[in-house]
Amino acid sequence: MMDQLSLGLTNLEGLSFRRDGNGEDTPATEEITNPQSTSPRLVHQSSRTSIYRFQDKGIKVRLGGNLGDPQPQQWQVDRLSNEQTISRYLPLSCKRREVLNIGPFDGHPVALYFKWANGITLKEWMRKVQGGTPGVASFTVTQRNYNETSHIQQNHSRSSSHNESAIDSNLLYFGNIGHTTNSALYTSTIKTPTPRATDDLNVRLRAAMAIAKTLSDFHDAGVVINNLTTENVVLDTFEGDYVATFIDLSEAAIFRNDAPDNQGGQKSVDDMAAFEKQIKQEDLRSLGTVLNQLFRGFQDDSASQSVVRDNTDVFACDRTDTPSKTEGEDVRRKRSKPTNASEGLPIYLGSLISTLLLTDSPASAVNYESAKDVYLDLKTMLENKSRCFRKTDLDECMVESRLKLNTDLFYGRRVQISMLMHLLNSVFMRGNQPSIATISGHPGTGKSTLASQIKKPIQDRDGFFIEGKFHKSSCPDTVLSKALNSFFGSIIVKGSFSGNMLMPLRWRIHDAIGSGNNLLMDVIPNLRKLMAEETSTVQTSSNGCTLRSGRSHAIPTSSHRLKFMFCKLIGAIACKAHPLILFLDDLQWADEITLDVIRMILTDPDVTHFLLLGAYRDNEVSLSHPLTEKLNYLKEHGKDVVPINIGPLEKECVNTLVSEALCLPPNLCRPLSNAIHTKTGGIIMFLLRFLKSLNDEGLLWFSLSSQRWEFDLKKIRVKEISADVVQHMTLNMTRLDKNIQMGLKTAACVGSNFDAEILQKTKKDDDFDMKTLLEKCVEDGYLIRIDGSQQFAWAHDQVHQAAYELIPIEKRELFHLLLGSRLLMKSSSSELANMLFCVVDNMNRGVNLLESDDQKHELAFLNLRAGESALSYSAFHTASRYLITGLSLLEHDSWEKNYSLRMRLYDAASEALYVTGDFSRLISLVQKPLKLAICFDDKLNLYNNLVRSLAASGQMDEGIATCLRVLAQLGEVIPSTISLESYHTETVRIKTMMQGMSDDQLLSLPVITDTCKMAAMQFLNHLLYQAYFAKPELSPFISFRMVEMSIEYGVCNITPFAFSVYGAFLVSAINDNEGGYRMGRVAMELMKKMNAIEIIPRLSIVIYSMINIWKEPFQASLSKHLEAFDIGAHRGDMEFAISSLFQYVNMSIYGCGENFDGLIKHIQAYSKRALQSQQHVVGTYLIAAHQQAFDFMGVEENAYSLYFVGMTEDSCFDTAYRNNQLSICRYICQKRKYVAFWTGDMDVAAKMYELSKRFPLGSNGKIVSDLVATFIDGLIAFYFARKHRSDEAKWKAIGEDVMV
């Protein structure tokens, strides 16, 4: 590498040159003595100057008018004196030839004595560089020392080995510098490859930096050179870099801050600044000439100066030919033919040089004011070669003076990037639990671009990056499914997975969600394709209790199932080998269901190596916003939410952005970037659009003469713009062609992303040209073409909003209505199905303009279709919006008109509202149809959703009352209170009915056909669930009636559950263990016969927790509860799925003797799962079990605080008592009694026994903890009975009662 780059400072020593008539250097004929000679030797002579060398000193003699005349002219003496003055004035830090003194020499009255400077003149260095040819160049290097402005170079006494170790090979363009040699004059032939262009440019850049640095030091010291040429610069190296020394200071001048003005007074600060700027201009222009020669290879100043003149002339023409701007005109400057001022150079470097060459030109908008700025810009170029070297030729946009900007530019944000990379490493290294980080900031600050910076790093490490974006006007509840669908689609289309990566992913997904999960695969079609199999439809019972709407409600938690499936799918994708980052943008517009899915994922103990990145606008998220509430929930449950705030760009980052966008050096851009930063506040999207508008208005243009971007800074500074980026962009859009504006308006109404075919259907023949519109919008950065298809998306939602603002407010409703109507009329039935949402969305916005009842009815029907379609995609929030809008269109009609349409809307709307959890709105919505429906059958589905909402919202008493009223209407009268007499009567009656019925007879019962009784079974099922918590005395009576109806009218998919509940009654209430065990067995067989898989979790709770424990070992039931959890979770029955986990824990603690060390880990995971699924009652049971495990292990820790900040067992008990949650109170009493007994604290055990009597179990089925609690009650009773205290009789009776 050293040999390849050695073209400059080769071993030069002792060669004399003289200037010929053309000003060229030619070798002198005088013999030069050894530099170590004891007497001065002549090393150079010209008509005006002689140079002598004496060891490490030099002597400069000025000659008179004729050669040999020792008497110099006065101006020559003055220059020698000036050089001495300047040399002594400058500090040591300034690299100049040091003058020792002025005195006579060898008959000459005046001579300048100086220290010999090491190095090679820039001119000679350039000559050596230019001597090479492509490939292997052979050229003669005649070595000598240069040390004079005209031609003197010096010997640099430094060993070659030292130079090689100190200087980087890429820097050492000139190889072994100053190797000492004793030969007086010799020539050598060196064969060396010409360096690559990049290496060549790097070396020249370093040399240029050294020159600019030395000039900057001179100016800082208050000295201007006034004679900066390639002959007056000597290059040397020091500590691995170039050093430039200025050797001829005869024309230099000192400017002082205290210099007096013409009137003898002190100059003002402003005057002094102007004076300094003016006096430095000559040096800066000379620097430009030197750099132009350095980079473009001119060997003399005349060629360079001609370029300066050419550029100045054409540049002036470029400005004078500029037309004045008139309103409405697309201002473009006349393009002049380009000259070769920067030809062949990177545009960045060419801009720097052309600016220096035109330093004093009034046409130049921004000039360099200091050499230091030049040095810094050259340094920037060297440190960022890939960025600054990227453009060397003019492209079409530059020739046409059109500024083209990328929309995904990223600058600064080092702190935020560091935080993201730390999170990424945590996901890879640890990842034992899911993580979350939020990126917040104002619109347009670059939140999405920041998140995208982590995309490549995770993909490089075989991780996954899935991204989705919410939109203000689009369906928020489809964002997650669309993001996952796009992810799986990219795997299928691009084939980005190898076989050894794809198959494990399929296996993980199959294990997590099964092979027949139609619910998930229906909303993620590409998942079905990825699994490479046609998912078989899981057969469900045809005997389900289905109400009038045709939807099954045996499992009232379909939304829970969908959310759970999303959670399981995310957990399957993310693994240690392939961590997953899910980025969701604009979370401020997310729906409740998606936020709930996020909460479930982040609290799921089975999800690992997962990071959620959520971006939102902090100015739109208040303390009461749903997103804030969800984030607070996560924090309260011990989840660290890493906040990453992103604000405006700093001025320096804006300057870097402008520099790269315009290919201009940073210091030339700073005045412009400062003005832009001031006007845009550093909001990156705002400043990009502002830059584009400056170009469109002719305030920023590309000059072909100077071959750089130029701008009218004065007009830019006074330009007034809106402080709002949307208003600013809208104003710029108004300057576009009218047809383009119409296209933008139409596209804004079509949606956040759209197909070109839909846009085509919205236009009239003469509205706009599709091809022209799309090309213009893509070119201007308004739209983005998706993967080269006919799909388009807005570059940013604020660009979308700006286009929408083009439509006057008073005309928007009409515009939407016309657009939607046009789409409806131009679309076939099949096409309408694909663009139904777009049609309905637009027509709904113009609903107030509809006058005809027929039009309103038609739109109401379209809303019904859209709502039902959204329900099929599990977009429940979107569905409810369409359905309620449809109802509003019919509110002024008579109830009988469009009755069928109205009831379908009410049914579907109540369904959607229940799933979304909007119970209060549902309860209010159904009141009117429940009063006005023509027949009771039409009310059943509404009642069904109503009682489920009442139960889910905790209004158990109202739910029970509603069920009783409905059942009475269906012919099944259930008393609200049960007397002891009626209880015994019903018990005898059901036993008599069941007596004599064999298992085969029960299993052979016909399927129920009476729709009224089917509905009654459904509401009895709701009533049984609510009575268990609020009115336990009703539970046996309800189960009796369900069994009776099954025997009398036939069975349905609820019957197995009714049989199992009756079996639990037999073993718990009347000690008929065999009868209860038999009913449990029949219930399980009937479930299999009817294929009623959805009720397995419910059956398992009753059979394996309340019945079989009387007949089989407890351990035999443990695995059944875990199986029931898996089935319930996949079917969406989260209530009973989580209850199965509790039964597993409860049985492990009280009946199976499981080791607490292993069990406690399961308890913690199950507790989190319960809270994640919003099953707070069962979750509280599990947390109490967690505390119980701590108590038995002797761990003094509050388990409740691990899940809820500040909660204790006492506060949990008090809360449950206030909310009438008697089952929780009873369980905590049992737990405390159990622990107190085994730890010997019998007084506390007795106290807990007395307290638990306030929360009786009634005749409900008993689980293992209830049985153990009863046994402990007997032990406590006999313990105190043997104390022979005054209450001995009471305790003895209690003990005897337990033994019965």
Side-chain angles (χ1 to χ4, degrees):
M1 177 62 75
M2 181 69 70
D3 290 340
Q4 292 176 355
L5 299 178
S6 297
L7 291 179
L9 292 181
T10 50
N11 301 326
L12 304 172
E13 201 255 28
L15 182 62
S16 175
F17 279 74
R18 60 168 79 243
R19 179 167 292 179
D20 61 19
N22 296 320
E24 293 295 329
D25 292 330
T26 55
T29 57
E30 295 86 358
E31 180 177 347
I32 307 301
T33 60
N34 190 301
Q36 302 301 323
S37 173
T38 57
S39 61
R41 65 202 184 282
L42 179 67
V43 295
H44 168 75
Q45 188 173 61
S46 68
S47 60
R48 298 288 186 182
T49 308
S50 295
I51 301 295
Y52 296 84
R53 174 147 183 207
F54 178 68
Q55 297 181 354
D56 62 346
K57 297 180 180 61
I59 305 168
K60 178 179 179 180
V61 177
R62 286 289 191 179
L63 304 177
N66 299 315
L67 183 63
D69 184 359
Q71 186 62 38
Q73 300 181 24
Q74 185 59 43
W75 65 270
Q76 294 176 311
V77 174
D78 292 341
R79 286 194 174 185
L80 291 177
S81 177
N82 183 64
E83 186 167 354
Q84 180 185 32
T85 302
I86 297 297
S87 177
R88 292 180 176 179
Y89 172 79
L90 290 169
L92 294 177
S93 59
C94 291
K95 304 298 181 183
R96 84 285 188 200
R97 183 172 60 189
E98 184 178 349
V99 175
L100 300 176
N101 62 285
I102 294 178
F105 171 75
D106 194 23
H108 298 279
V110 179
L112 184 76
Y113 291 80
F114 55 88
K115 285 187 177 180
W116 201 263
N118 296 325
I120 179 174
T121 65
L122 179 61
K123 183 173 183 178
E124 184 62 18
W125 183 85
M126 289 167 54
R127 178 178 290 135
K128 300 301 180 290
V129 173
Q130 291 301 114
T133 57
V136 178
S138 176
F139 58 94
T140 300
V141 180
T142 307
Q143 295 191 334
R144 59 158 296 174
N145 290 316
Y146 285 91
N147 201 37
E148 175 50 38
T149 300
S150 55
H151 318 291
I152 305 301
Q153 299 182 353
Q154 61 149 22
N155 180 299
H156 186 67
S157 299
R158 187 177 299 164
S159 69
S160 61
S161 60
H162 172 76
N163 285 317
E164 291 178 12
S165 63
I167 306 170
D168 182 84
S169 59
N170 283 316
L171 164 67
L172 271 186
Y173 200 80
F174 42 82
N176 300 336
I177 301 174
H179 180 70
T180 303
T181 177
N182 292 324
S183 61
L185 179 64
Y186 69 93
T187 63
S188 63
T189 300
I190 302 175
K191 292 185 177 181
T192 175
T194 302
R196 294 171 300 172
T198 302
D199 295 330
D200 177 82
L201 193 55
N202 287 347
V203 174
R204 292 174 189 258
L205 272 174
R206 291 181 179 272
M209 286 171 57
I211 299 168
K213 177 66 168 59
T214 300
L215 182 59
S216 174
D217 291 342
F218 270 64
H219 287 177
D220 289 343
V223 174
V224 289
I225 305 300
N226 291 327
N227 188 27
L228 182 61
T229 66
T230 57
E231 298 171 326
N232 292 342
V233 178
V234 172
L235 289 181
D236 193 11
T237 60
F238 179 72
E239 295 183 353
D241 217 334
Y242 282 116
V243 175
T245 302
F246 296 164
I247 58 174
D248 185 0
L249 307 181
S250 60
E251 298 182 30
I254 300 173
F255 59 92
R256 301 177 182 277
N257 291 333
D258 57 352
D261 60 17
N262 293 334
Q263 287 72 35
Q266 195 70 20
K267 287 186 177 180
S268 67
V269 175
D270 292 341
D271 290 342
M272 195 61 213
F275 170 73
E276 288 190 13
K277 179 180 179 180
Q278 181 181 4
I279 203 171
K280 292 177 184 177
Q281 284 183 352
E282 180 62 32
D283 276 0
L284 293 175
R285 185 165 49 254
S286 298
L287 176 62
T289 302
V290 169
L291 296 184
N292 197 37
Q293 294 174 325
L294 174 61
F295 287 103
R296 300 187 66 246
F298 291 123
Q299 292 299 313
D300 56 60
D301 292 342
S302 59
S304 178
Q305 291 300 324
S306 67
V307 172
V308 177
R309 289 192 298 272
D310 291 343
N311 275 281
T312 304
D313 295 341
V314 179
F315 188 82
C317 176
D318 195 33
R319 294 288 295 180
T320 56
D321 289 346
T322 301
S324 59
K325 181 181 180 299
T326 59
E327 186 174 355
E329 284 188 301
D330 182 17
V331 178
R332 296 290 177 191
R333 300 177 180 272
K334 276 190 178 180
R335 316 304 298 150
S336 302
K337 291 184 178 180
T339 67
N340 62 350
S342 304
E343 185 178 355
L345 295 179
I347 294 176
Y348 179 105
L349 179 59
S351 299
L352 182 148
I353 293 175
S354 66
T355 302
L356 287 172
L357 293 174
L358 301 169
T359 292
D360 60 348
S361 172
S364 182
V366 176
N367 298 319
Y368 278 111
E369 296 184 3
S370 72
K372 184 176 182 180
D373 289 344
V374 179
Y375 167 77
L376 293 175
D377 285 347
L378 289 168
K379 183 179 179 182
T380 298
M381 189 174 191
L382 184 66
E383 294 173 349
N384 301 275
K385 293 185 289 291
S386 61
R387 189 177 73 204
C388 299
F389 289 4
R390 61 190 174 92
K391 280 193 176 182
T392 56
D393 299 320
L394 302 186
D395 55 26
E396 182 181 353
C397 290
M398 287 182 172
V399 172
E400 297 178 0
S401 195
R402 288 185 291 110
L403 182 61
K404 189 174 183 180
L405 297 169
N406 293 327
T407 57
D408 57 349
L409 299 176
F410 185 79
Y411 295 89
R413 317 299 189 195
R414 292 185 179 180
V415 173
Q416 291 86 350
I417 283 292
S418 176
M419 295 174 70
L420 284 178
M421 294 307 299
H422 177 74
L423 285 168
L424 178 60
N425 290 330
S426 297
V427 171
F428 273 95
M429 300 301 295
R430 296 190 293 272
N432 56 342
Q433 59 180 352
S435 305
I436 176 175
T438 59
I439 304 174
S440 60
H442 279 48
T445 50
K447 301 182 292 296
S448 305
T449 308
L450 173 64
S452 66
Q453 303 307 304
I454 205 174
K455 187 174 183 178
K456 188 176 186 301
I458 191 172
Q459 291 176 341
D460 288 345
R461 297 167 70 173
D462 291 333
F464 301 135
F465 188 91
I466 301 177
E467 53 188 323
K469 180 179 177 63
F470 295 92
H471 297 280
K472 191 173 184 178
S473 57
S474 299
C475 308
D477 34 14
T478 61
V479 169
L480 187 56
S481 58
K482 287 181 179 178
L484 288 165
N485 195 56
S486 176
F487 167 70
F488 291 123
S490 66
I491 294 176
I492 296 170
V493 174
K494 298 179 181 178
S496 54
F497 272 29
S498 59
N500 60 346
M501 293 175 65
L502 184 57
M503 287 308 299
L505 176 63
R506 285 176 175 163
W507 293 336
R508 295 197 305 272
I509 293 175
H510 184 277
D511 292 343
I513 67 172
S515 60
N517 199 312
N518 282 335
L519 176 64
L520 203 55
M521 292 185 178
D522 283 346
V523 297
I524 310 176
N526 285 329
L527 176 60
R528 190 189 303 273
K529 296 178 183 178
L530 181 73
M531 299 305 289
E533 61 180 354
E534 186 65 28
T535 306
S536 59
T537 303
V538 178
Q539 182 182 356
T540 57
S541 173
S542 61
N543 305 312
C545 291
T546 306
L547 302 184
R548 186 185 57 77
S549 69
R551 296 188 182 89
S552 174
H553 300 287
I555 301 300
T557 48
S558 57
S559 64
H560 286 300
R561 182 187 179 195
L562 181 65
K563 290 185 282 189
F564 180 78
M565 288 295 103
F566 273 126
C567 189
K568 297 290 285 184
L569 180 60
I570 292 294
I573 298 173
C575 64
K576 186 175 183 180
H578 307 288
L580 168 63
I581 292 180
L582 174 61
F583 172 57
L584 296 176
D585 197 8
D586 283 323
L587 276 176
Q588 73 276 358
W589 295 323
D591 63 296
E592 284 284 350
I593 290 181
T594 305
L595 292 177
D596 217 32
V597 172
I598 292 172
R599 175 190 59 78
M600 291 178 66
I601 294 173
L602 293 171
T603 55
D604 192 327
D606 295 335
V607 176
T608 60
H609 302 283
F610 171 79
L611 170 64
L612 174 76
L613 274 181
Y616 67 92
R617 299 178 181 180
D618 51 10
N619 61 316
E620 297 184 21
V621 176
S622 63
L623 294 177
S624 60
H625 194 279
L627 176 60
T628 304
E629 294 175 357
K630 283 294 186 291
L631 293 177
N632 289 338
Y633 174 91
L634 292 171
K635 294 174 184 177
E636 290 169 0
H637 288 77
K639 181 62 62 178
D640 290 331
V641 180
V642 180
I644 302 176
N645 184 261
I646 184 168
L649 287 177
E650 298 176 350
K651 281 189 175 182
E652 195 57 38
C653 294
V654 173
N655 191 57
T656 303
L657 184 155
V658 175
S659 171
E660 293 187 13
L662 304 181
C663 291
L664 282 177
N667 282 293
L668 290 182
C669 294
R670 187 158 281 108
L672 173 62
S673 64
N674 287 345
I676 292 174
H677 186 276
T678 300
K679 292 183 177 296
T680 63
I683 305 298
I684 186 166
M685 191 186 72
F686 197 173
L687 66 89
L688 289 176
R689 302 310 310 180
F690 183 60
L691 262 176
K692 188 70 173 63
S693 69
L694 293 179
N695 179 230
D696 293 339
E697 297 172 26
L699 300 179
L700 173 66
W701 67 95
F702 188 82
S703 170
L704 290 177
S705 57
S706 62
Q707 293 197 10
R708 67 181 176 97
W709 286 94
E710 297 175 357
F711 43 88
D712 193 326
L713 186 60
K714 183 177 180 180
K715 290 184 179 180
I716 293 174
R717 284 173 172 166
V718 299
K719 178 179 172 60
E720 294 185 2
I721 64 170
S722 171
D724 181 77
V725 61
V726 173
Q727 294 179 11
H728 174 72
M729 287 189 289
T730 302
L731 179 62
N732 289 333
M733 290 176 180
T734 60
R735 299 189 178 98
L736 298 171
D737 182 83
K738 295 297 182 182
N739 289 340
I740 299 296
Q741 291 186 51
M742 176 57 71
L744 284 169
K745 295 175 188 178
T746 306
C749 295
V750 170
S752 56
N753 47 56
F754 55 87
D755 192 290
E757 181 182 353
I758 296 180
L759 189 61
Q760 178 69 34
K761 289 181 179 294
T762 63
K763 64 183 285 290
K764 289 183 179 179
D765 295 337
D766 57 348
D767 275 352
F768 51 84
D769 179 71
M770 277 289 295
K771 182 179 180 181
T772 303
L773 170 69
L774 294 176
E775 288 179 353
K776 176 66 175 176
C777 289
V778 170
E779 179 184 337
D780 288 352
Y782 296 135
L783 293 176
I784 298 172
R785 187 187 292 270
I786 302 175
D787 297 331
S789 66
Q790 288 301 302
Q791 293 282 332
F792 295 85
W794 292 96
H796 193 278
D797 54 83
Q798 292 214 302
V799 179
H800 185 186
Q801 182 63 29
Y804 186 72
E805 294 290 334
L806 288 171
I807 309 173
I809 296 177
E810 66 276 7
K811 294 183 179 180
R812 288 178 186 174
E813 289 186 351
L814 179 59
F815 196 92
H816 280 292
L817 184 59
L818 290 175
L819 188 148
S821 301
R822 196 176 296 159
L823 275 176
L824 179 62
M825 291 185 293
K826 289 185 177 182
S827 303
S828 64
S829 57
S830 59
E831 290 174 332
L832 181 59
N834 294 327
M835 59 182 70
L836 179 62
F837 294 144
C838 182
V839 171
V840 178
D841 284 339
N842 278 282
M843 295 188 71
N844 282 348
R845 293 200 177 191
V847 69
N848 294 329
L849 300 178
L850 294 178
E851 297 179 354
S852 166
D853 288 343
D854 291 340
Q855 291 176 333
K856 293 180 180 180
H857 298 161
E858 183 179 8
L859 183 54
F861 179 71
L862 288 173
N863 273 279
L864 175 63
R865 288 185 59 184
E868 290 179 338
S869 179
L871 282 175
S872 69
Y873 288 111
S874 301
F876 303 109
H877 281 283
T878 302
S880 64
R881 188 176 71 247
Y882 288 129
L883 296 165
I884 291 174
T885 300
L887 285 170
S888 68
L889 289 165
L890 304 177
E891 63 182 352
H892 298 299
D893 288 350
S894 63
W895 186 257
E896 295 78 12
K897 193 173 184 179
N898 289 293
Y899 176 79
S900 177
L901 173 61
R902 189 189 303 271
M903 291 308 300
R904 285 181 64 186
L905 284 166
Y906 272 118
D907 283 347
S910 64
E911 182 81 11
L913 290 173
Y914 172 74
V915 175
T916 59
D918 195 350
F919 303 129
S920 60
R921 191 172 189 181
L922 186 155
I923 294 170
S924 174
L925 178 76
V926 300
Q927 298 307 312
K928 187 174 182 179
L930 288 177
K931 290 180 181 179
L932 300 176
I934 295 176
C935 64
F936 184 74
D937 286 349
D938 292 339
K939 302 178 183 180
L940 283 177
N941 195 54
L942 298 173
Y943 271 125
N944 184 69
N945 292 323
L946 174 61
V947 296
R948 290 192 295 165
S949 298
L950 291 169
S953 58
Q955 303 179 58
M956 297 290 189
D957 292 337
E958 181 63 26
I960 290 173
T962 304
C963 282
L964 293 176
R965 290 196 301 271
V966 173
L967 286 167
Q969 289 281 337
L970 293 171
E972 300 296 330
V973 179
I974 306 291
S976 58
T977 57
I978 304 296
S979 65
L980 185 59
E981 181 181 356
S982 61
Y983 171 75
H984 286 300
T985 300
E986 288 297 319
T987 301
V988 172
R989 191 161 66 87
I990 190 65
K991 288 186 66 176
T992 302
M993 179 180 289
M994 296 295 293
Q995 191 173 8
M997 291 198 69
S998 66
D999 293 358
D1000 289 340
Q1001 286 177 311
L1002 293 174
L1003 293 172
S1004 301
L1005 290 171
V1007 175
I1008 192 170
T1009 57
D1010 188 330
T1011 57
C1012 183
K1013 297 306 177 183
M1014 289 174 62
M1017 284 291 286
Q1018 179 70 60
F1019 282 95
L1020 283 169
N1021 187 38
H1022 293 325
L1023 182 61
L1024 180 62
Y1025 169 74
Q1026 297 179 64
Y1028 182 87
F1029 293 100
K1031 281 193 173 184
E1033 67 275 11
L1034 280 180
S1035 297
F1037 197 92
I1038 299 168
S1039 65
F1040 295 164
R1041 190 69 193 108
M1042 294 172 74
V1043 172
E1044 290 176 16
M1045 289 180 62
S1046 297
I1047 293 174
E1048 186 174 353
Y1049 299 104
V1051 297
C1052 64
N1053 60 352
I1054 296 176
T1055 300
F1057 181 60
F1059 282 177
S1060 68
V1061 174
Y1062 176 65
F1065 165 77
L1066 291 177
V1067 298
S1068 299
I1070 58 179
N1071 297 324
D1072 185 1
N1073 295 345
E1074 289 297 332
Y1077 187 73
R1078 172 192 169 228
M1079 290 306 300
R1081 189 175 61 251
V1082 169
M1084 191 62 72
E1085 289 298 323
L1086 184 59
M1087 179 274 298
K1088 293 177 181 177
K1089 179 182 178 181
M1090 302 186 70
N1091 196 28
I1093 300 173
E1094 67 274 11
I1095 67 170
I1096 288 180
R1098 299 182 177 213
L1099 283 181
S1100 296
I1101 292 290
V1102 179
I1103 293 174
Y1104 297 112
S1105 297
M1106 301 178 183
I1107 298 177
N1108 287 12
I1109 58 175
W1110 297 90
K1111 186 77 173 178
E1112 299 175 354
F1114 293 162
Q1115 292 86 346
S1117 298
L1118 279 178
S1119 62
K1120 299 296 184 181
H1121 292 305
L1122 296 181
E1123 292 174 8
F1125 165 75
D1126 288 335
I1127 295 173
H1130 281 81
R1131 301 296 302 179
D1133 193 358
M1134 296 307 299
E1135 177 191 347
F1136 282 89
I1138 297 300
S1139 294
S1140 296
L1141 293 180
F1142 166 69
Q1143 295 301 334
Y1144 174 86
V1145 170
N1146 187 63
M1147 193 170 285
S1148 298
I1149 292 177
Y1150 286 97
C1152 299
E1154 291 289 317
N1155 187 291
F1156 280 119
D1157 285 333
L1159 181 61
I1160 202 167
K1161 297 179 181 178
H1162 292 302
I1163 296 175
Q1164 189 166 8
Y1166 297 161
S1167 300
K1168 290 181 179 179
R1169 179 83 71 187
L1171 298 177
Q1172 172 206 60
S1173 303
Q1174 298 291 310
Q1175 301 299 321
H1176 292 288
V1177 173
V1178 182
T1180 305
Y1181 292 157
L1182 287 165
I1183 295 172
H1186 194 174
Q1187 184 64 58
Q1188 187 172 6
F1190 277 163
D1191 293 343
F1192 276 122
M1193 295 174 67
V1195 177
E1196 295 183 1
E1197 188 172 351
N1198 177 18
Y1200 293 85
S1201 64
L1202 299 177
Y1203 307 93
F1204 298 98
V1205 177
M1207 178 179 283
T1208 63
E1209 192 165 79
D1210 289 335
S1211 65
C1212 178
F1213 182 89
D1214 293 340
T1215 301
Y1217 185 77
R1218 287 194 304 271
N1219 295 333
N1220 199 33
Q1221 295 174 322
L1222 305 185
S1223 59
I1224 293 178
C1225 297
R1226 181 173 60 251
Y1227 187 78
I1228 291 178
C1229 289
Q1230 287 181 354
K1231 172 258 173 187
R1232 286 185 171 180
K1233 179 174 62 179
Y1234 193 61
V1235 172
F1237 175 81
W1238 287 112
T1239 56
D1241 194 345
M1242 300 303 292
D1243 290 331
V1244 172
K1247 181 180 178 181
M1248 289 299 105
Y1249 166 78
E1250 296 288 353
L1251 184 60
S1252 65
K1253 291 171 63 178
R1254 299 168 57 183
F1255 316 109
L1257 179 63
S1259 57
N1260 286 330
K1262 294 181 176 66
I1263 60 178
V1264 172
S1265 57
D1266 296 323
L1267 300 182
V1268 174
T1270 303
F1271 176 69
I1272 295 297
D1273 290 345
L1275 295 178
I1276 294 171
F1278 287 128
Y1279 172 83
F1280 284 105
R1282 296 181 62 185
K1283 293 292 183 180
H1284 303 294
R1285 301 187 310 188
S1286 58
D1287 56 356
E1288 178 181 349
K1290 181 191 77 171
W1291 288 111
K1292 183 178 179 181
I1294 293 171
E1296 291 174 348
D1297 185 58
V1298 170
M1299 295 178 64
V1300 174

